[in-house]
Amino acid sequence: MGESRTTGEALPERALLQGIVEGTVDDPFAVLGPHVVPSGLAIRAFVPGAEKVAVQRLDADEPPIELSDLGEGLFATTLTEVRERVAYRLHCEGGVARWELDDPYRFGPVLGELDEHLLAEGTHLRLWDKLGAHLIEHEGVVGVQLAVWAPNARRVSVVGDFNLWDARRAVMRRRGSTGVWEIFIPDVTAGDAYKYAIVGPNGSELPQKADPVGFGAEHPPQTASIVRDLERHDWQDGAWMDRRAAAHATDAPISIYEVHLGSWQRVDREGNRPLSYAELARDLVPYVANLGFTHIELMPVSEFPFDGSWGYQPVGLFAPTIRHGTPGEFRRFIEACHAAGLGVIIDWVPGHFPTDPHGLGRFDGTALYEHADPKEGYHPDWNTLVYNYGRKEVANFLVANALYWLLEHHVDGLRVDAVASMLYRDYSREEGEWVPNIHGGRETLEAIAFLQRMNEVVYGECPGIMTLAEESTAFPAVSRPVHDGGLGFGFKWNMGWMNDTLDFMGRDPVHRSNHHHQMTFGLHYAFTENFVLPLSHDEVVHGKGSIWHRMPGSEAEKFANVRAYYGFMWAHPGKKLLFMGQEFAQRDEWNHDATIAWHLLDDERHAGVQRLVRDLNHVYRELPALHQRDAQAEGFEWIEANAAAESVFAWVRWGDGDTAPVLVVCNFTPVARERWRVGVPRPGRWAERLNSDASIYGGGDRGNLGGVDSEPAAWNGRADSIVINLPPLTTLILAWDAESN
């Protein structure tokens, strides 16, 4: 081995070395690590706290060579007669401490030219494979590769316990024009906390930032990212994945149970903690499956700092919240859902993000993810920031995030939150508080293009998934394909139906006749989109009360109203969504800090509503006419839409081909309609498949003894009719009995 020495030619200018000490050098790789110089291989290291540093070559069986101490933690030497980079390890001493480390500055880059090209172009669909923190073996050493997009930063460092949160020790390498910085840090392991320490373009230190593509996070209120091992999961859900496309078709029965994981159930004896993903797989999954729902929808599980946001103000879009466990445990929860035949939809929030200092706001010292102009980049409703969808890297970040949940975690659907707020520049803004688009209009053209691109990508890359839009306006073609001019969603929440029908149901029956149209108006537009009928968490918070609480009358009448309304909903065109607790008529509005009111099931009236929901789900599945033509006008026919004085509604649902039709009759007054005649589209026997007044549901058990036979008596414009007993505040579902006819 050649002689070791420190030579003038091996040392950069003193000002540059001082910049290393002060943490102001934006390219420490040009100074530190191994560098071939005319006299050999110069090795320079920055190890604050060390009094002695020696270099141990890994390609030679020779003792370590001591480096010269340049002061302030800087050490250097030159290995003469060495004309190429070699692998080495540093042996350090300080006081009584001795330690070894692999110098992060001795390693070459990890990102390749293709990655750089795709990142710069904004078309890297597997963004999470390259950005974020990845446990890898690089140049024979195990550690973590980190990469982050911060194009306007003057300097980006990784800090954590592994380097004493010292921003000078792991300054990253800038990758050309991509705006991406990267570094490989040896010996960092899964579970280690880290952040990015960024110096903005004006030279100021920013608040330390969590990783935008981090796969884990500390428990709030702590804010660091956590290194997680994203090794490929050995999925065992092939049977579900093979059939999920059919389960998501517009002609399939889709009944969704919406859940806030933090308050579905809590463990009182352990400080009122929420359940873990493992406990949810054990308890929540069989509960939902037993009730006959086809899907679970999770309120946002992307990491978020504030419990009171319910997850709708996320900071870690790539991190399943640690409140319930690790990413691996989340995957096992998804797998348990699939094993039980349940699809999983997650609420996805690409519409805005919070201003928390460790988040995306002014990430590199500039308005990077958001618009600089608050008229475009600030949400007055939520005090949040709006993504700049017109910036290709931001759109790429969000599209890739959608793919991440679908591919890495086998999520089956994305329900996109607050789409209306994305589509309109004047959303919740007064005149003069918004900027028109390039055509002078109010539509956010960039958001429209982003949503179309997102839907095209996820449906193309992940066959069989579904996307759903929470869109509260009459924006056209939300659930129509992009190639037909639509936004490309699979389904849209029917907010108009929800508002109208809940308003009707909240009225005293004596006044309902004056608002009869609220229950029929939805059929004027029911087939313009692929609709989901949502009774979501938004309808049972902020002083609105629970569904049960909204109903008029005595306690018995409240229960009867709930049962009749659910029957109306399940028999109405459109897929179904019900928020947790409402399946057993929870009395109080939802509180995210407390478990739902399970004790109410000790009351037979509440248990009866739960049994009704279970039976509605089973009837909905078993009678194809109730779901096959949800999105087709041919699947619905009014029998009686004008009996306003009696608040009675009757209609027929038609299925495909020879499918037996289903007759639905609703009475929304507390008056029994005995011997009520209803026209029917076919003669013969009509079997009573569900009666919301049945005693097992808590009703008065008034009905039709299992079914009725038609008479050749013209009524409601039909040649045949049936005479039924229509109990007060009741929905009846009758199916034409092909075997008896």
Side-chain angles (χ1 to χ4, degrees), residues 487-716:
L487 290 183
F489 285 93
F491 296 91
K492 173 181 172 175
W493 276 22
N494 194 335
M495 310 296 282
W497 176 91
M498 175 273 298
N499 284 316
D500 286 345
T501 60
L502 273 178
D503 186 73
F504 175 91
M505 293 302 302
R507 296 180 182 275
D508 190 295
V510 73
H511 300 303
R512 285 177 176 171
S513 61
N514 297 322
H515 300 270
H516 195 75
H517 67 282
Q518 289 185 299
M519 300 297 268
T520 61
F521 182 69
L523 272 303
H524 290 285
Y525 60 87
F527 310 106
T528 60
E529 302 275 5
N530 302 327
F531 279 123
V532 173
L533 310 181
L535 294 180
S536 75
H537 66 278
D538 277 329
E539 313 322 315
V540 294
V541 290
H542 301 319
K544 297 175 185 175
S546 65
I547 301 297
W548 182 91
H549 178 79
R550 292 187 184 201
M551 300 299 161
S554 65
E555 283 211 348
E557 288 171 334
K558 284 179 179 288
F559 282 105
N561 272 298
V562 170
R563 296 193 303 266
Y565 182 43
Y566 286 175
F568 172 87
M569 172 181 173
W570 257 258
H572 192 286
K575 310 310 180 186
K576 325 301 173 189
L577 180 140
L578 189 65
F579 183 56
M580 65 181 197
Q582 307 315 303
E583 77 275 14
F584 55 78
Q586 178 162 309
R587 297 186 176 216
D588 296 328
E589 73 175 26
W590 171 54
N591 175 5
H592 71 271
D593 282 328
T595 187
I596 58 177
W598 293 106
H599 65 277
L600 292 177
L601 288 171
D602 294 335
D603 183 326
E604 271 300 304
R605 297 170 299 176
H606 289 280
V609 175
Q610 186 190 58
R611 283 191 286 270
L612 171 71
V613 169
R614 179 186 294 113
D615 287 353
L616 282 169
N617 276 327
H618 286 297
V619 167
Y620 174 57
R621 290 194 196 201
E622 293 165 4
L623 299 179
L626 289 181
H627 58 259
Q628 282 183 339
R629 291 186 172 182
D630 264 339
Q632 301 173 37
E634 297 79 10
F636 180 90
E637 180 183 358
W638 276 117
I639 298 293
E640 178 57 85
N642 299 310
E646 298 84 4
S647 291
V648 170
F649 306 83
W651 66 89
V652 171
R653 296 294 304 275
W654 295 97
D656 296 334
D658 296 329
T659 299
V662 171
L663 174 68
V664 184
V665 188
C666 301
N667 175 13
F668 287 113
T669 66
V671 178
R673 309 292 178 185
E674 296 181 358
R675 297 197 58 76
W676 184 267
R677 188 172 291 276
V678 183
V680 292
R682 288 184 185 176
R685 183 159 185 81
W686 289 80
E688 190 176 78
R689 293 298 304 272
L690 187 136
N691 178 346
S692 69
D693 189 54
S695 59
I696 60 169
Y697 308 138
D701 228 7
R702 293 154 289 190
N704 298 280
L705 300 176
V708 291
D709 294 306
S710 70
E711 303 173 359
W715 203 260
N716 297 127

Side-chain angles (χ1 to χ4, degrees), residues 50-74:
E51 296 168 357
K52 292 183 179 181
V53 174
V55 59
Q56 173 72 66
R57 287 181 59 179
L58 301 181
D59 64 339
D61 186 18
E62 296 183 7
I65 299 169
E66 188 169 337
L67 279 67
S68 298
D69 185 353
L70 306 181
E72 299 185 271
L74 285 167

Side-chain angles (χ1 to χ4, degrees), residues 19-30 32-33 45-48 73-74 101-107 144-148 153-174 181-188 193-199 205 208-209:
I20 295 290
V21 174
E22 295 172 357
T24 59
V25 174
D26 67 348
D27 184 16
F29 285 88
L32 301 176
F46 179 54
V47 191
L74 285 167
L101 60 88
D102 280 296
D103 183 359
Y105 294 104
R106 83 164 173 84
F107 296 92
V144 66
Q145 157 69 11
L146 298 111
V148 64
R154 184 175 291 185
R155 188 214 71 198
V156 182
S157 301
V158 183
V159 293
D161 288 337
F162 45 82
N163 60 17
L164 305 178
W165 299 89
D166 185 344
R168 304 171 300 164
R169 295 174 183 252
V171 179
M172 304 176 82
R173 172 190 282 115
R174 189 195 296 267
W181 300 69
E182 73 159 348
I183 193 170
F184 174 76
I185 306 179
D187 302 323
V188 176
Y194 70 99
K195 281 187 174 181
Y196 293 114
I198 300 174
V199 174
E205 289 267 0
Q208 291 182 351
K209 298 288 189 177

